[in-house]
Amino acid sequence: MTIIDLVPGSVRGVEQTATLLVDGFRDTGSTDWTNVEEALAEVRESFKPGRISRVAVDHEGNVQGWIGGI
């Protein structure tokens, strides 16, 4: 596992991160991120100035975890 910056140009990484967000909150009762479009918007928010966006990727480069911060 490796921790790397998630960048806007990483289309695959952004899509995998959004899917992870939807899947991760699906069974929590949350009304946030119930679909990929909402999750993509959230991930894209993490690219604004003053924010960080990091992902854990496996040896094949697949996103296994994400953290964003302000």
Side-chain angles (χ1 to χ4, degrees):
M1 202 72 64
T2 305
I3 307 296
I4 61 172
D5 290 334
L6 181 63
V7 295
S10 175
V11 175
R12 180 175 161 219
V14 169
E15 290 174 354
Q16 287 182 351
T17 302
T19 299
L20 189 72
L21 191 57
V22 172
D23 290 347
F25 282 85
R26 177 174 288 130
D27 297 327
T28 66
S30 174
T31 58
D32 293 320
W33 314 302
T34 59
N35 60 60
V36 174
E37 293 78 24
E38 291 175 358
L40 281 169
E42 184 71 18
V43 173
R44 290 182 182 124
E45 286 280 318
S46 75
F47 300 135
K48 289 184 174 182
R51 298 178 182 212
I52 61 167
S53 189
R54 307 272 196 276
V55 287
V57 296
D58 64 17
H59 66 282
E60 294 177 353
N62 295 308
V63 174
Q64 302 297 310
W66 174 61
I67 188 164
I70 299 174

